[in-house]
């Protein structure tokens, strides 16, 4: 707000618009490192611009506060200064007169390559892979003849193919990014042109950019000329000049029905001029001071207050409502006496042409092109609404405010008349914080010669629109760009998701090292033997090698070593890495294409974000889940409330059903009866509401709050006191919010609310359904329809909710002139701010009701109020204005000021909102548990809510002992250590290192006997270095763990503790920004695309639409991917051992001179064509069992948890098998040729090495392909076809290649070899001998030591799973026994209800049902208090509501209330309505009275107990302070 010299004090309240706190962005581990290059560039730029750090004298602020609060960066970087219609000062220019500050372009390039840089840059990136460097080194070695490579050109073919394929893939991906970049950079926006932006220099463009721009323009011109060749007379609608007004704006009202309420008393002025560029409607506020219009049409606030100004505090009675309170003068950046050319206009331009300092105009539903400071909006109040879904993932609309000094800027000519400068902090990536200040010289609008007044106004994140957002529910905004392109916050935050590597990929590095060791051994043996042989002399080398490159034995051995590296290079196959990339890419494609994981409601399939960790999904042992929005729908429905100590509302929630199920009640039958009753009550309630008030905005299907007794009390049937309490409560719900109304015309009309949280929308919607409808806003007022009477409430301040405050408040001037602060928030926050010693009975009753609501799984809030005197508000508002004007630590100061006013509150009541479980959550959790996966819930909800949700979703059951960890006292660590030791002793454990080592090896699921519940404070204690190991071992013994009231950092700490402490694979799943930390900490992160936005999705590895899809993602695709990849890698190493060791055995008989047994084309094509396709098909398509059987028998997944599909033992078994088969392949052929010489039909000998190589090669190719087929579970036509093609291809290539003379000595080898009977006999015999051991071992294993999957496959063949064919390929979720009130829009007929209960068998899940007890289940723990949810100490208070909550002898807590109580009905008189039958309340109370859990008896863990203790502590503190006062 503008700072000006203090004027005379006034006790009249001045409305202050909504102020938002900036919530803190969670610091992502590694995020700073990933943005380092961008930030380094910005820091270097700041150093270059250090000369511009001094301020122009004409814009220095005289105020000491603002001078001290100049914008500085935390790292010491200099701030940036942007000038508007002001000549640059000398210190802001360089020696050439150009601006010394250089600002980034708004053109953004996310693509890596350009057509010129693609080849060198892509090769540079590809050779960052050490494997590619290794193979390039081999190619370079092969170039030198000394190393014996026969065809260096062919040797380079595999690497060239891999580089080419990878380059094509990268090029396609980058082309898509380039297309998106161009699409974004060429997005249209209206930019002010024909004026001078002094912050940039048009001639300060590099020569290379000028060449590119000229080339682009030339090509574009040619293209346009060719396109417009036949349509020269057509007018291109490329821009809108000053003579072409925007019809959609200038011909209709500025105020949108969806946002503002057009009250008939609100005067408005239309000014439409066809020649005025994009005219805007000017609507003075009805309560604003007098305005005068200058000749240029600008509205200027009158400097003088209206005559007869009265002090509101001196006015009593109805006269207060007619007072017009003067508005504060904030000044304006427009110089009314400045002469301008009038040529400036807003022209349709491209995003890429926007520069820092440009004026831009953005219209409704358009995206924001840069980080823009808002000067004015179509709302006279300066408000606009943005959707930040693309930025932070949140779909709720946010409110942003225009600067007060710029709200009079409406037209292009107004922009020319402005003179101001903006001091801004440097670019930084925090999305939720910004500090800046605008400075200008204020001129007297009436006297041109009057001296100017230096003024300034603070700029916060509240006044900034970030690139990537979308303007909503606002006709237009006008602003200036302060950051562009790569300096915008969204670009600084891009790419923060850490890269992850799968476990198999990490372990593969060690396997490759073993292969390198074997390769080194083979090469060193070759070099030593060859060197010794060369040094001996007198052998065949002297006769057949005429001359040698090596002059000594040592040098000859050295050369032989490197030649061996070339010959045996397949020990580390280059094709392995490209094969794995192909397999993982296709696996990700199949996951994306799985229609069983497609969420039709939001049109969202399962989307892999990280393509290289699909095999990790098959090894998950621990899943960490958020609750709200992940296990639940995050669609809030108002169910119950408590007002003035009276509970209202009927509901039957999932948590309540779970609680009743534990008591042995048949919940399906009870649910049917309760829903029948609720449907009948709804009919009665709707009839009573319409009798009380014919609410035109009431729609039966939208009503979720079912409480006929509430309507009766609102009508006054039980007395005036309760009627007033109910009305005041609903008014508070209708006023304390920041929702945006959206009206849909119709008969009847419909009003919907766009809120920043689903809870807030549910509260305001319930107030609407009860007759307290928010019609909209006009200026600073909220218009309510209160039971048919229209009222206006002036909003003085809105102190919004954030995660640290856990509450929000609205300061309202009521129609009678009183100032009331309404506050809603968490019960602990509200109770700690209630006025001490007041409402003791009401507090006690409300606490008990809130506790019962929480036990039903409902989310609770408290509602309170405070009446302020005019003086109190004025004094506080001055402090609030100063805090809002602060440039440094603005958020902290605002929070401190808000805390001072949100005290001495009076309790009105509480609300209870249901966040219903998603479909299939209980069954999915049960299915994952059967698979051996342990699921932990990490939530910010209350303990009672989490426990009951745990029971309703099968995390907890009756047979479990709940271990509640709650530490309070002075020495928390010692207390926690003793408690952990006590619980560990139950499992005969002490928490030693030996036990931790044993726990790492034990992957079995713990017995369903214990579960842990811990809150955030206690979790912080046990996560310390001293207790972490004991806590981890205790959790390892428990089936379920629930961590409540935890922060995002604690969630990540818990995941890290389990992942690192137990060396297990973890998966985190969440839907909100507070889940990002744990999603990125886990091995696999899954984001739920839910109601809270897409922040978790953007940071995840996989994104799904619902939690239930997790079962298919993990149990089907994860298990398949892990088993396929483990088998593929083992078979790949095996087939290369067969091939390479065959060459090694041949070298023994050549003294390791490294002559080739095979023709060189065989060596090149072996991994490329002869053996690659079957292995790839195995990795992509192999299935041991179908997806349906995988879900029907989730126990098959446990093999992945135990990591048995890829182990070092398996690797060495396959390596030894390959070595054995290589011996058979070579020596069988050797034995054929050893006794005699083979002569063909034409008399030619075929015992030369290349023809013997055909014998060995063909047998080896058949063996490895049939071996892969034997290891494949699924023999379909495609697999058999690929194996057949791979085998036949070696004969085809031999026959084709040897028909040409290019084959050299290999010419005519095919007819010579294939014509020999010995070839076919040897091939058949070799294949049988090679594969016989493997076949025998597999037969023995499946007959006498079968795996689980072998048993299941046998049962499939027996037809025991044929019934699955009638089901879909995904688990059908159970029908939830509870129903939403919104789903019961009609009365339920008993016959139809019975028909619903008798549903067909085929609608039940295909897996075993939940083990939760039913009405016929014997529950030995049902009466021993081990896990019930009853409470002690307060049952009597429920049965006797008039019992005092505290000792009546404590006068300090129960003294008489102040004079404010006289205006309120007494809370202590009899309540006739309390004794009326309330089915839901009585039912839950009765169920709690029967069972009392021991943990609450020992720990006093209930909310009511905590709130009572909080109250008693406050009273005790007050008594102590009174007793210590001097007498």
């Amino acid at each position: 707000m503008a700072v000006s010299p203090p004027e005379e004090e006034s006790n009249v309240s001045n409305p202050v618009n909504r102020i938002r706190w900036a919530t803190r962005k969670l610091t992502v581990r590694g995020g700073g490192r990933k943005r380092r290059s961008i930030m380094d560039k910005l820091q270097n730029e700041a150093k270059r611009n250090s000369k511009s750090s001094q301020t122009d004298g004409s814009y220095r602020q005289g105020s000491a506060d603002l001078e001290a609060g100049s914008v500085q960066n935390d790292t010491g970087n200099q701030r940036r200064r942007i000038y508007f219609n002001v000549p640059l000062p000398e210190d802001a220019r360089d020696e050439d007169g150009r601006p010394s500050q250089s600002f980034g372009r708004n053109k953004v390039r996310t693509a890596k390559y350009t057509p010129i840089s693609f080849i060198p840059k892509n090769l540079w990136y590809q050779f960052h892979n050490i494997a590619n460097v290794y193979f390039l080194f081999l190619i370079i070695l092969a170039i030198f003849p000394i190393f014996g490579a026969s065809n260096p050109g062919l040797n380079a073919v595999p690497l060239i193919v891999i580089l080419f394929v990878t380059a094509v893939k990268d090029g396609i991906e980058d082309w898509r990014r380039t297309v998106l970049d161009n699409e974004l950079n060429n997005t249209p926006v209206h930019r002010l042109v024909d004026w001078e932006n002094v912050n940039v220099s048009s001639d300060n463009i590099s020569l290379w950019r000028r060449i590119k721009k000229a080339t682009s323009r030339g090509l574009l011109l040619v293209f346009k000329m060719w396109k417009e060749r036949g349509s020269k007379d057509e007018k291109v609608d490329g821009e809108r000049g000053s003579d072409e007004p925007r019809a959609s704006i200038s011909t209709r009202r500025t105020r949108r029905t969806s946002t503002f309420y057009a009250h008939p008393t609100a005067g408005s002025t239309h000014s439409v001029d066809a020649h005025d560029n994009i005219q805007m409607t000017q609507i003075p506020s009805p309560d604003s001071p007098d305005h005068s219009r200058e000749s240029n049409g600008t509205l200027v606030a009158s400097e003088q207050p209206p005559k007869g100004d009265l002090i509101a505090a001196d006015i009593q009675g109805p006269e207060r409502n007619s007072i017009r309170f003067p508005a504060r003068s904030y000044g304006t950046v427009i110089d009314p006496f400045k002469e301008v050319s009038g040529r400036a206009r807003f022209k349709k331009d491209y995003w890429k042409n926007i520069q820092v300092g440009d004026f831009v105009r953005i219209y409704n539903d358009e995206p924001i092109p840069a980080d823009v400071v808002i000067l004015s909006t179509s709302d006279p109040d300066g408000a606009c609404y943005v959707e930040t879904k693309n930025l932070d993932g949140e779909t709720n609309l946010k409110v942003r405010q225009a600067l007060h000094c710029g709200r009079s800027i409406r037209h292009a000519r107004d922009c020319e008349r402005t003179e101001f400068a903006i001091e801004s902090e440097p670019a930084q990536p925090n999305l939720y914080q910004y500090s800046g200040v605008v400075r200008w010289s204020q001129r007297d609008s009436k006297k041109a010669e009057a001296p100017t007044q230096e003024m300034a106004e603070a700029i916060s994140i509240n006044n900034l629109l970030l690139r990537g957002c979308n303007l909503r529910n606002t006709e237009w905004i006008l602003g200036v760009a302060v950051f562009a392109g790569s300096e915008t916050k969204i670009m600084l935050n891009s790419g923060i998701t850490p890269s992850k590597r799968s476990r198999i990929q990490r372990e593969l590095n060690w396997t490759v090292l073993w292969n390198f060791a074997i390769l080194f051994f083979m090469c060193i043996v070759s070099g030593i033997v060859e060197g010794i042989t060369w040094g001996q002399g007198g052998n065949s080398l002297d006769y057949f090698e005429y001359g040698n490159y090596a002059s000594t034995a040592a040098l000859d051995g050295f050369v032989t070593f490197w030649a061996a590296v070339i010959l045996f290079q397949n020990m580390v196959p280059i094709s392995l890495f490209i094969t794995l990339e192909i397999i993982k890419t296709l696996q990700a494609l199949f996951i994306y294409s799985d229609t069983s994981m497609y969420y039709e409601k939001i049109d969202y399939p399962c989307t892999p974000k990280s393509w290289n960790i699909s095999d990790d999904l098959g090894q998950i042992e621990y899943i960490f889940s958020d609750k709200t929005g992940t296990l639940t729908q995050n669609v809030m429905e108002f169910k119950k409330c408590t007002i003035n100590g009276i509970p209202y509302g009927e509901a039957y929630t999932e948590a309540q059903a779970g609680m009743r199920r534990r008591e042995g009640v048949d919940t399906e039958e009870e649910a049917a009866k309760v829903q029948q009753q609720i449907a009948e009550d709804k009919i009665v309630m709707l009839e009573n509401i319409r009798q009380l008030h014919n609410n035109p905005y009431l729609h039966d299907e939208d009503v979720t709050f079912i409480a006929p007794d509430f309507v009766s009390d609102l009508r006054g049937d039980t007395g005036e006191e309760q009627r007033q309490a109910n009305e005041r409560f609903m008014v508070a719900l209708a006023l304390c919010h920041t929702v945006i109304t959206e009206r849909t015309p119709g008969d009847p009309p419909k009003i919907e609310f766009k809120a920043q949280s689903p809870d807030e929308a549910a509260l305001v919607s319930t107030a609407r359904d009860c007759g307290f409808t928010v019609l909209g806003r006009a200026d600073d007022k909220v218009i309510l329809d209160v039971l048919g009477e229209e009222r206006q409430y002036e909003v003085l301040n809105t102190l919004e909710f954030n995660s640290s405050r856990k509450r929000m408040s609205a300061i309202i001037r009521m129609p009678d002139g009183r100032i009331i602060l309404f506050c809603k928030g968490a019960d602990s926050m509200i109770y700690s701010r209630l006025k001490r010693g007041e409402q003791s009975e009401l507090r006690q009753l409300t606490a008990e009701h809130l506790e019962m609501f929480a036990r039903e799984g409902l989310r609770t809030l408290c509602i309170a109020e405070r009446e302020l005197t005019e003086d109190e508000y004025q004094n506080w508002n001055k402090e609030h204005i100063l805090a809002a004007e602060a440039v440094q630590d603005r958020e902290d100061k605002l929070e401190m000021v808000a805390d001072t006013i949100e005290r001495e509150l009076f309790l009105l009541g509480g609300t209870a909102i249901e966040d219903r479980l998603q479909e299939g959550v209980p069954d999915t959790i049960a299915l994952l548990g059967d698979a051996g996966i342990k699921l932990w819930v990490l939530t910010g909800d209350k303990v009672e809510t989490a426990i009951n949700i745990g029971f309703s979703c099968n995390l907890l059951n009756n047979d479990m002992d709940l271990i509640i960890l709650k530490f309070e006292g002075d020495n928390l660590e010692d207390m926690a250590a003793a408690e952990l030791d006590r619980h560990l002793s139950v499992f005969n454990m002490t928490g030693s290192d030996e036990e931790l080592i044993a726990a790492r090896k034990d992957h079995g699921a713990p017995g369903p006997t214990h579960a842990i519940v811990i809150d955030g404070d206690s979790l912080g204690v046990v996560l310390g270095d001293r207790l972490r190991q004991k806590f981890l071992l205790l959790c390892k013994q428990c089936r379920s763990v629930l961590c409540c009231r935890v922060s995002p950092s604690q969630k990540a700490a818990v995941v890290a503790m389990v992942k690192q402490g137990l060396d297990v694979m973890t998966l985190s799943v969440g839907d909100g920004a507070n889940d990002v930390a744990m999603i990125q900490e886990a091995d696999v992160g899954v984001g739920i695309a839910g109601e809270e936005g897409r922040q978790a999705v953007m940071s995840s590895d996989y994104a799904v639409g619902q939690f239930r899809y997790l079962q298919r993602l993990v149990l089907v695709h994860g298990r398949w991917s892990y088993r396929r990849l483990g088998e593929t890698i083992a078979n790949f190493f095996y087939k290369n051992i067969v091939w390479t060791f065959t060459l090694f055995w041949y070298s023994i008989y050549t003294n390791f001179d490294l002559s080739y047994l095979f023709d060189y084309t065989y060596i090149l094509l072996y991994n490329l064509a002869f053996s690659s396709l079957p292995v790839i098909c195995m990795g992509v398509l192999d299935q041991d069992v179908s997806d349906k059987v995988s879900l029907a028998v989730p126990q098959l997944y446990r093999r992945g948890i135990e990591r048995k599909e890829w182990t070092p033992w398996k690797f060495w078994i396959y390596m030894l098998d390959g070595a054995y088969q290589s011996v058979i392949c070579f020596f069988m052929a050797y034995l054929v040729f050893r006794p005699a010489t083979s002569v063909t039909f034409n008399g030619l000998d075929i015992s030369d090495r290349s023809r013997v190589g055909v014998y060995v090669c063909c047998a080896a190719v058949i063996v490895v392909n049939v071996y892969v087929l034997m290891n494949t579970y699924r023999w379909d036509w495609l697999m058999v076809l690929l194996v057949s093609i791979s085998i036949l291809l070696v004969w085809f290539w031999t026959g084709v290649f040897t028909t040409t003379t290019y084959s050299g000595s290999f010419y005519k080898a095919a007819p010579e070899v294939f014509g020999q009977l010995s070839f076919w006999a040897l091939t058949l015999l070799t294949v049988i001998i090679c594969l016989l051991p493997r076949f025998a071992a597999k037969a023995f294993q499946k007959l006498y030591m079968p795996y689980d999957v072998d048993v299941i496959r046998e049962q499939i063949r027996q037809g025991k799973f044929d019934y699955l064919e009638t089901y879909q390929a995904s688990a059908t979720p159970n029908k939830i026994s509870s129903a939403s009130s919104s789903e019961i829009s009609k009365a339920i007929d008993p016959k139809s209800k019975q028909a619903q209960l008798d549903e067909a068998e085929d609608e039940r899940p295909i897996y075993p049902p939940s083990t939760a007890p039913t009405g016929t289940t014997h529950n030995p723990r049902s009466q021993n208090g081990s896990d019930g949810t009853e409470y002690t100490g307060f049952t009597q208070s429920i049965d006797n509501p008039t019992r005092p909550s505290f000792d009546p002898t404590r006068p300090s807590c129960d003294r008489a209330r102040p004079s404010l109580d006289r205006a309120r009905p007494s809370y202590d008189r009899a309540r006739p309505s309390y004794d009326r039958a309330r089915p839901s309340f009585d039912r839950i109370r009765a169920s709690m009275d029967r069972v009392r859990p021991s943990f609450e008896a020992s720990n006093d863990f209930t909310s009511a107990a905590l709130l009572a203790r909080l109250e008693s502590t406050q009273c005790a503190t007050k008594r102590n302070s009174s007793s210590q006062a001097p007498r």
Side-chain angles (χ1 to χ4, degrees), residues 279-580:
Q279 289 295 315
M280 300 299 159
T281 309
Q282 300 168 345
I283 306 176
S285 171
D287 290 336
S288 62
D290 295 339
H291 291 77
S292 59
R293 185 177 301 276
E294 295 293 324
S295 59
N296 57 19
T298 303
L299 289 178
V300 182
S302 175
E303 300 291 340
Q304 302 296 329
K307 297 181 179 180
D309 189 14
L310 300 176
I311 303 299
D314 298 333
I315 306 299
Q316 304 295 333
E319 290 82 2
R320 287 182 68 152
N321 195 32
S322 61
I323 298 176
R324 297 184 60 180
F325 298 98
R328 179 179 179 181
S329 174
Y330 294 98
T332 177
V333 295
I334 295 179
D335 182 356
F337 303 103
K338 182 177 181 179
E339 296 182 359
V340 295
S341 63
R343 293 185 296 107
R345 71 188 192 280
F346 282 100
K347 176 184 176 182
K348 202 170 185 179
D349 205 342
Y350 297 128
W351 275 23
K352 62 184 179 183
N353 296 329
I354 293 179
Q355 297 174 310
V356 172
D358 276 348
F359 287 87
V360 293
R361 176 169 281 156
I362 303 165
Y363 295 94
N364 188 46
D365 294 332
E366 289 185 352
I368 310 301
D371 289 355
V372 175
V373 171
I374 313 169
L375 294 179
S376 62
T377 73
S378 58
D379 175 18
D381 203 22
C384 66
Y385 304 93
V386 293
E387 182 183 71
T388 60
K389 179 173 62 176
N390 295 333
L391 193 65
D392 58 11
E394 297 182 6
T395 57
N396 304 307
L397 299 185
K398 310 293 190 303
V399 182
R400 295 293 182 262
Q401 293 288 335
L403 295 176
H404 290 86
C405 60
R407 294 185 184 180
S408 57
I409 303 175
R410 319 291 283 186
H411 315 293
R413 61 172 178 268
D414 295 336
C415 298
E416 283 190 288
R417 290 192 178 94
T418 60
E419 287 188 356
F420 62 98
I422 290 180
E423 293 180 9
S424 169
E425 67 180 7
Q428 51 95 358
N430 192 332
L431 296 174
Y432 307 99
Q433 190 173 16
Y434 174 77
S435 294
V437 64
V438 55
R439 302 184 187 276
W440 75 97
S441 297
Q442 180 64 45
R443 303 193 63 176
D444 191 331
S445 60
K446 298 181 179 179
K447 299 180 181 179
E449 65 279 1
T452 60
Q453 178 184 1
E454 303 302 328
M455 300 189 72
E457 182 175 350
I459 308 173
S460 70
I461 193 67
N462 229 22
N463 313 113
L464 190 69
L465 295 181
L466 302 182
R467 177 183 175 127
C469 301
N470 288 78
L471 190 67
R472 302 293 189 208
N473 292 51
T474 308
E475 292 289 354
W476 56 266
I477 70 101
L478 193 151
V480 291
V482 292
F483 295 106
S486 61
E487 296 177 338
T488 56
K489 291 183 181 292
I490 188 173
M491 296 306 299
L492 294 178
N493 278 277
S494 61
I496 63 174
T497 301
S499 60
K500 298 179 180 179
R501 300 174 63 206
S502 68
R503 190 182 191 94
I504 285 185
Q505 190 174 1
R506 297 194 299 266
E507 294 175 350
L508 185 61
N509 291 337
W510 292 102
T511 307
V512 171
L513 286 178
W514 278 113
N515 279 38
F516 269 118
I518 297 173
L519 175 63
F520 177 79
F521 171 78
M522 297 167 67
C523 295
I524 200 69
V525 169
S526 301
I528 292 174
V529 173
E530 169 69 7
I532 293 175
T533 304
W534 189 90
Q536 288 177 346
N539 49 41
S540 61
L541 291 177
D542 297 335
Y543 301 99
F544 292 98
E545 293 193 10
Y546 302 98
N548 200 317
Y549 291 104
S551 58
T552 63
L555 183 58
D556 187 72
F558 176 79
V559 172
T560 302
F561 176 87
W562 293 110
V565 171
I566 298 175
L567 180 61
F568 304 137
Q569 61 180 282
N570 280 335
M571 280 298 299
V572 185
I574 186 174
S575 55
L576 172 62
F577 299 96
I578 190 63
T579 299
L580 294 182

Side-chain angles (χ1 to χ4, degrees), residues 631-868:
L631 300 178
T632 60
Q633 298 179 19
N634 202 23
V635 176
M636 308 302 178
E637 294 182 350
F638 191 108
K639 292 295 185 183
K640 297 187 178 185
C641 66
T642 173
I643 305 173
N644 196 30
I646 306 298
Y648 298 103
E650 301 294 330
Y652 194 77
T653 64
E654 286 98 341
Q656 188 175 350
M659 186 165 53
R660 298 287 287 166
R661 191 181 299 118
R662 283 176 287 153
E663 299 166 3
V665 177
D666 187 349
T667 54
E668 291 189 3
E669 181 180 355
E670 183 179 65
K673 295 179 181 178
V674 172
Q675 291 169 8
Q676 172 84 22
Q677 181 63 43
I678 291 176
E680 294 173 358
D681 290 343
K682 182 175 181 179
I683 296 175
V684 175
M685 177 181 176
L686 293 174
E687 291 177 353
N688 292 340
I689 287 180
R690 289 191 167 92
Q691 291 176 3
L692 179 65
H693 161 53
N694 189 16
N695 186 359
Y697 308 106
L698 176 63
H699 293 262
D700 296 0
E701 66 275 8
D702 295 334
V703 176
T704 62
F705 177 49
I706 311 300
D709 48 350
F710 170 83
V711 181
S712 300
D713 291 349
L714 184 62
R715 192 168 49 201
D717 294 353
T718 57
E720 183 65 17
E721 173 193 352
Q722 192 63 29
R723 187 197 68 78
Q724 293 182 6
N726 287 5
E727 180 175 335
R728 186 165 60 250
F729 183 85
M730 285 297 167
V731 168
L733 296 185
L735 292 176
C736 189
H737 59 80
T738 57
V739 303
I740 305 166
T741 59
E742 205 168 68
R743 183 179 306 187
T744 303
D747 187 19
K750 190 171 185 178
I751 288 184
E752 295 179 344
F753 303 107
K754 301 293 185 180
Q756 297 187 27
S757 71
D759 302 70
E760 195 169 56
L763 296 175
V764 181
S765 297
T766 297
R768 173 202 62 198
D769 296 338
C770 293
F772 299 80
T773 306
V774 180
L775 299 178
R777 297 178 183 268
D779 300 328
D780 293 321
K781 293 182 173 59
V782 175
I783 295 91
L784 297 188
D785 184 317
V786 179
L787 299 176
E789 177 187 354
E790 187 175 300
R791 301 178 186 175
Q792 293 191 23
Y793 298 83
E794 184 177 5
V795 181
L796 302 179
N797 302 83
T798 300
L799 313 178
E800 293 199 9
F801 177 90
N802 67 18
S803 57
S804 60
R805 283 167 39 80
K806 296 182 180 179
R807 64 190 184 277
M808 77 155 291
S809 300
I811 303 178
I812 307 293
R813 184 181 294 280
M814 307 297 282
D816 59 1
R818 292 184 301 128
I819 299 177
I820 303 294
L821 180 145
F822 294 103
C823 185
K824 66 181 179 186
D827 49 13
S828 58
M829 302 301 294
I830 299 299
Y831 266 68
S832 64
R833 284 163 173 74
L834 295 178
K835 190 167 185 178
R836 296 180 180 178
E838 302 292 339
Q839 302 177 295
S840 58
E841 179 189 351
L842 178 60
R843 297 187 196 195
Q844 184 67 29
L845 289 174
T846 302
E848 292 168 359
H849 296 162
L850 292 177
E851 182 180 350
M852 284 189 290
F853 298 159
R855 293 181 184 282
E856 296 180 71
L858 302 177
R859 299 160 58 94
T860 59
L861 286 176
C862 279
I863 312 296
E865 69 175 13
R866 175 186 177 184
E867 182 171 354
L868 306 173

